[in-house]
Every structure is written in structure tokens, then in C-alpha cells.
Amino acid sequence: MLLKKAIKEFNLQLGDRASLLDTNHPRIAEKILLHWGYKEFYPFIDKLLLVEKERSRQGFSLEVVEEIYLLQEIHDKKFPATKPPSDKFQSTWI
């Protein structure tokens, strides 16, 4: 119950349900908490969800992916200053 205990908004959203990240992927849950509140959260989440050709891995269930997106949404609201620009190619001199 790492994430569910530590992140109040996540706990409220899950209600009585257990977090699948906490129960099935505790090492990933620990790393999410390690990055929580920092700009490094986003590259870490992207790497979790990105499929790389060189690596073969099973992937996450839909329910776990939904939890990851929920955590990203909560992080966006709680720490807006850490969120990267939505368009990486947008010119800053326009």
C-alpha cells in the first residue's frame, strides 16, 4: 500500500479497491514515489508506458495503465510547475 497510503488523492479515487501497482508491482510503486513531486516523474512514467524495440517485456494490464494515468493526472494538478511543455517542438520566440 505504498502509493495508496502516501498519495491522499489516489487513495480517495481508489476507495476500497487495492492499488494494483502496490500489490503487483511494488518496485515500480516505490520508484513512482521516489519521483513524486519532481520533474523526473514524467520521463519515468513515459519510460514505463513506452514500448522499446530492443526490450521484450510483458507490459501492464489495462487496470495498471489506468492507475498510472490517474497518478499522472494527480501529479499534473498537484505539481503543475514540474510538468513539461505539451508541445516539445513549440517555438519559444513566437
Side-chain angles (χ1 to χ4, degrees):
M1 291 189 54
L2 299 168
L3 293 168
K4 194 168 177 187
K5 249 185 192 175
I7 303 169
K8 178 181 73 170
E9 298 84 356
F10 188 57
N11 185 19
L12 289 171
Q13 287 289 326
L14 292 180
D16 293 337
R17 291 180 301 151
S19 165
L20 294 175
L21 282 165
D22 285 341
T23 56
N24 299 343
H25 307 283
R27 287 180 37 216
I28 291 173
E30 280 182 37
K31 288 185 179 185
I32 289 173
L33 275 179
L34 180 68
H35 294 94
W36 191 254
Y38 297 97
K39 64 181 180 178
E40 291 80 11
F41 173 83
Y42 294 98
F44 177 72
I45 294 299
D46 288 346
K47 192 167 184 157
L48 281 178
L49 298 173
L50 189 69
V51 177
E52 298 171 348
K53 288 183 180 182
E54 300 84 38
R55 293 179 63 192
S56 64
R57 60 182 191 183
Q58 187 175 13
F60 297 113
S61 68
L62 177 61
E63 293 83 6
V64 169
V65 172
E66 288 173 346
E67 282 190 19
I68 292 170
Y69 280 124
L70 175 59
L71 286 164
Q72 187 171 359
E73 184 179 316
I74 294 167
H75 195 275
D76 290 350
K77 289 178 184 172
K78 286 190 71 152
F79 309 105
T82 65
K83 189 176 179 185
S86 58
D87 184 359
K88 294 178 184 177
F89 301 107
Q90 184 178 5
S91 177
T92 57
W93 47 270
I94 292 179

